[in-house]
Structure formats: C-alpha cells, structure tokens
Amino acid sequence: MHFLLLLVSLVLGMWSISSNTSFPCPSHCTCHLELKFATCASNNLTNVPTTIPPSIEHLNLSLNHLAFVQHQAFRSTRRLRTLLLNDNQISAISDGAFSPLEALIKLDLSRNRISSLTEGFSLGLGSLLELSLAENQLTRMDGCCFYHMDALQKLNLSHNAIHSIKIRAFGSLSTLRRINLDGNKIYNLSNGVFSMLRNLEELRLKGNSIDHLEVGVFAPLTSLTVLDLAENKLNAVDFKAFLSLHTHSTHIWLGGNPWTCDCDLQRVFRKLHSVQRLLLDDYANLTCAEPEQLRGNALRDVDSQLCIAETVTVLIITVTVVITVVAAIVMAEKKQKKTSKGKHWTEVSEMSCDSQN
Ligand SMILES: *[C@@H]1O[C@H](CO)[C@@H](O)[C@H](O)[C@H]1NC(C)=O
Ligand SMILES: *[C@@H]1O[C@H](CO)[C@@H](O)[C@H](O)[C@H]1NC(C)=O
Ligand SMILES: *[C@@H]1O[C@H](CO)[C@@H](O)[C@H](O)[C@H]1NC(C)=O
Ligand SMILES: *[C@@H]1O[C@H](CO)[C@@H](O)[C@H](O)[C@H]1NC(C)=O
Ligand SMILES: *[C@@H]1O[C@H](CO)[C@@H](O)[C@H](O)[C@H]1NC(C)=O
Ligand SMILES: *[C@@H]1O[C@H](CO)[C@@H](O)[C@H](O)[C@H]1NC(C)=O
C-alpha cells in the first residue's frame, strides 16, 4: 500500500508543466490547453495515462504499445471529442471502455490487433460520427457491436479478415453514410446484409472474394452514390442486382474481376448502359478471364463480337425454318395442282364420252 502511494507520488512528481498553462500534463505528453489538445504519441506507453487534464478534447495516443483498453479508461477526460488509439497493439477492449465519452466524435482504432468486439464496445458512444477499425483482425460482422452508435456516419472496416456479414449486421446504423469494407475476405453478399442503411452513400467492397450478388442485396440502399466492387471474383452478374438500386445516380466500379465474356455478359452490360442512373465508371477497365481465347482482352473491345455466334445460330435456324416452310407450301401447292389436273382430265374424258354418245 505504501509502495503504491510512493509510486503515485513519484508519478505526480514527474508531471511537467509544459506549454503555457497552470494545468499539469503527464510526463510523456505534450498539452496545448489553449487548443484543448494533448499528444502522448510515439512514447512506448503500455497504459493509458490517468492524469490527462480534464479540459482536453483531442487526445493523441497513437504509435504506442497499448494492449488493452480497460473499463472506463477515459473517465477523467469526459470532454474528449477526438481519440486516436491507432498503431498500438490493442487486442482487447473491455465492455464500456469508452462509456463516459458522450462528446466523442472521432475514434481511431486502426492498425491494432482487434479480432472481436463485444456488445459493450459501443456503450456511451452515442455521439460518435467516425470510427476506424481498419487494419485489425476482425473476422465476422454480426451486428453485436455498434448497437449504441446512434449517430455514426463513417465506418472504416477495411483490411481486416471479415469473411461473413450477418443479415442486418449494420441494422442499428441507419445514420451511416460511408462504409469501407475494402480488402476483406467477403465472398457472399446475401439479401438483407445492408438492410436499414437508407442513408448510405458510399459502399466500398474492393478487393474481396465476392463471386455472386443476390438480386435484392443493394435494394435497401436508396441513397447510394458510390459502389465499389472492383477486384472481386465476379465472372457474371445479374442485371437485376443493379437495377434494384433505386437511387438518383450511382457510380459503380467493376474492374479487376475475372469476367466470362459471353453473349449473356454482353447483354447485361448493354442493359446496364441503357439505365441512365447507373454509371459504369471503369467499364473501359473490364477484362475477360474466360473464355481462354479472349483472356486479357478488354470487354469493351470484344463486346460487339460476343453475340455474333448466337446471331449466326439464330440466323441459320430462321433460314432453315423459312426454307422448310416455303418448301412445304410449294409441295402442297404442287400436289394440289396435280390432283386438280387429274380431276380436269376425268371431267374432260367424261365430256368427250358424252359428246361421242
Ligand atoms: C503563452 O501564452 C501567450 C499568451 O497567452 C502566448 O502569446 C504565447 O505564445 C504562449 N507561449 C507558448 C509557448 O505557448
Ligand atoms: C498524432 O501523433 C502522431 C505521431 O506523433 C502524428 O503522426 C499524427 O499526425 C498525430 N495526429 C494528430 C491528429 O495530431
Ligand atoms: C521506445 O522504445 C524504443 C526501443 O525500445 C527506443 O529505441 C525508443 O527510444 C523508445 N522511445 C521513447 C520515446 O521512449
Ligand atoms: C480507411 O482505412 C484505410 C486503411 O487504413 C485507409 O487507406 C482509408 O483511407 C480509410 N478510409 C477512410 C474513408 O477513412
Ligand atoms: C450466403 O449466405 C447466406 C446466409 O448468410 C446463405 O443462406 C447462402 O446459402 C450463402 N450462399 C452461398 C453461395 O454461400
Ligand atoms: C483502371 O485500371 C488501372 C490499373 O488497374 C487503374 O490504375 C485505374 O485507376 C483504373 N481506372 C478506373 C477508371 O478505375
């Protein structure tokens, strides 16, 4: 106990009065009280400093060695608006870690080691507008963890290992405007995963393993302006999956997918081009992976040829049918003529018989 007190007084003694104010600042930090700003970044810290002045609104703890965020770790800095915890080694966050931070607007947890989140993660974060969890080790989104974030507008989940998203995983985030899921392992987008996101403007899914889209998956996204599906595993796509986007105008990126360039694909893109609200910004970048003889070709350069084979087949069938029908008619006519000629002769011969009599 005495040792602890000694330690505490030692720590207190180490406070240096930096900057221009009468408030103390933890020894590893620099405080700019007039700007309500403190930075304790790049200091090998393994714990959140407990003595940060309560008036601080912006706290930079990036590039340290933090491994764990305890329950109410920030209870003495309730006015925080920005909290940067990026580039640490955080692997666990206890329930309510951020719970008294009712003014927090921006939380950066990118480049840590977070592999799962709990329901208590979002406790007290009702004002948060921007959350980054980019470059962590998350594997699934099951909707547990954003429950109390009633105001969130930007969510960055890029470069994790997310492979599955549960239906309505983002259901509590109806205020969300931008979500970044680039560089994950998503392979299956089923109907309902984006339900409730009626304010979503930007959906980034570049660099995943998506190989098919269910027809209604984007239908709830009535505000979407950007849909990035580049560098996935799509080889074909259903026109209706995009047609169901009832937006004013949406820019869609589809480059870097292994397209099977056949007549069906050509038709899908011809239809997509005819829908004015859907803008295929990187159509020039789409290349064929199949069939083999077209591999590496730009879809744009070969699209006019893709339906030729089918057109030729259709032509051949049509011509064959026409010939058959014509032939049948001609034959029928010939036959009729023959029979009527025969009749005529019998009539004539009967007449001649009569005249002879
Ligand atoms: C200290 O405060 C004064 C006036 O408040 C200001 O002019 C000065 O630049 C400040 N000095 C530092 C080191 O912040
Ligand atoms: C936080 O600190 C890091 C490391 O010193 C620095 O690179 C970064 O720009 C700081 N961020 C802000 C918003 O001040
Ligand atoms: C952090 O640790 C590294 C390696 O142990 C050391 O080189 C560096 O000086 C330390 N930085 C600070 C601010 O203490
Ligand atoms: C999301 O995080 C990634 C990776 O750190 C970064 O490149 C990207 O700029 C971020 N996006 C947004 C919208 O903040
Ligand atoms: C995609 O996921 C849904 C539910 O998440 C599942 O019902 C469906 O079978 C999956 N489809 C494929 C092709 O894996
Ligand atoms: C086309 O692809 C190249 C190389 O992958 C990329 O740099 C460029 O930005 C793409 N263009 C568009 C419009 O996406």
Side-chain angles (χ1 to χ4, degrees), residues 19-21 32 34:
S19 162
N20 206 359
T21 61
H32 299 276
E34 62 285 5

Side-chain angles (χ1 to χ4, degrees), residues 66-69 89-93 112-116 136-137:
L66 304 177
F68 182 57
V69 188
Q89 292 152 19
I90 299 168
S91 58
I93 298 175
N112 276 286
R113 297 176 186 171
I114 302 164
S115 59
S116 68
N136 276 282
Q137 294 158 12

Side-chain angles (χ1 to χ4, degrees), residues 151-186:
L152 200 68
Q153 294 187 357
K154 289 190 204 171
L155 177 58
N156 196 339
L157 291 166
S158 66
H159 301 284
N160 277 272
I162 299 168
H163 55 75
S164 78
I165 305 179
K166 246 196 183 157
I167 287 170
R168 276 190 268 271
F170 307 110
S172 53
L173 298 175
S174 59
T175 53
L176 206 60
R177 295 168 70 167
R178 298 161 84 181
I179 186 164
N180 189 337
L181 286 159
D182 287 352
N184 279 287
K185 297 183 172 159
I186 301 162

